[in-house]
Amino acid sequence: MKKILTLSLLTIAFVSCEQKKETTPEIAKVDYAFFGDSISSEGALSNAEMMEKFKSLKEGDTLEVKFKSGINEVCQKKGCWMTLDLADDKEAFVKFKDYGFFVPKNAQDKEVIVNGKAFVSVESVDVLKHYAKDAGKSQAAIDSIVEPKVTYSFMANGVLIAK
């Protein structure tokens, strides 16, 4: 009986001394490829927050900002521009500072963080047709462009694209 009692107490003591591992939720770490200036992913606005910032801009205004979104489309000639998803079914048209870098042409549908200057611009019919041609649109789609368009524009100096 003493042996059973001693064995039971030793077992209880051993089990109670065992350290419990705390479980902390793991945050998925995204691995990014960078283009242009080196930037961090910290402090990036969401695409919905960026849409609100664009709504407050007038033509001629600029805003230094960093935001995260999804890539809708990339220039298929060189990767010299891309369109990013904003809230309310709107898009931001992104070009790269001083034509100094390009992004991969197969980056469509990937997560991206861009840093630079946001502004509102009015694109002419000729420029819109040029962009449509670069995007590989049909001739009918290109010919259907008949009036200028107000665009939410962005001049990026640094870009992070999820690998």
Side-chain angles (χ1 to χ4, degrees):
M1 181 73 169
K2 284 185 177 182
K3 288 183 180 180
I4 293 174
L5 184 60
T6 305
L7 186 58
S8 296
L9 287 174
L10 285 174
T11 304
I12 291 170
F14 180 73
V15 170
S16 66
C17 290
E18 189 177 26
Q19 290 183 344
K20 290 191 173 190
K21 294 180 183 176
E22 286 188 34
T23 57
T24 56
E26 269 190 46
I27 298 172
K29 186 156 179 133
V30 179
D31 194 19
Y32 292 102
F34 77 91
F35 303 88
D37 293 347
S38 180
I39 62 170
S40 76
S41 60
E42 300 298 316
L45 300 176
S46 70
N47 59 345
E49 291 170 318
M50 190 63 224
M51 184 66 219
E52 289 305 312
K53 299 278 187 193
F54 270 123
K55 286 180 180 177
S56 69
L57 295 175
K58 297 184 277 304
E59 191 173 6
D61 292 346
T62 60
L63 176 66
E64 190 75 31
V65 69
K66 178 181 358 178
F67 78 101
K68 179 191 282 190
S69 186
I71 300 173
N72 288 342
E73 194 172 17
V74 176
C75 171
Q76 292 301 295
K77 296 267 185 190
K78 295 181 184 177
C80 58
W81 56 261
M82 61 185 170
T83 59
L84 305 184
D85 182 47
L86 294 173
D88 305 329
D89 292 327
K90 302 289 184 187
E91 290 184 322
F93 186 79
V94 180
K95 291 198 251 183
F96 310 111
K97 186 178 178 189
D98 299 329
Y99 214 57
F101 61 96
F102 305 119
V103 297
K105 295 184 276 187
N106 64 349
Q108 186 171 335
D109 298 325
K110 293 193 178 182
E111 179 182 290
V112 66
I113 296 173
V114 292
N115 187 75
K117 292 185 180 184
F119 57 98
V120 176
S121 63
V122 178
E123 301 293 342
S124 71
V125 171
D126 289 339
V127 169
L128 292 171
K129 286 185 176 191
H130 172 81
Y131 292 149
K133 186 175 180 182
D134 282 355
K137 303 281 186 196
S138 68
Q139 189 60 45
I142 295 169
D143 293 340
S144 71
I145 301 170
V146 293
E147 59 186 49
K149 177 182 170 188
V150 174
T151 60
Y152 299 119
S153 300
F154 198 89
M155 183 61 66
N157 56 28
V159 174
L160 297 174
I161 297 178
K163 290 182 180 178

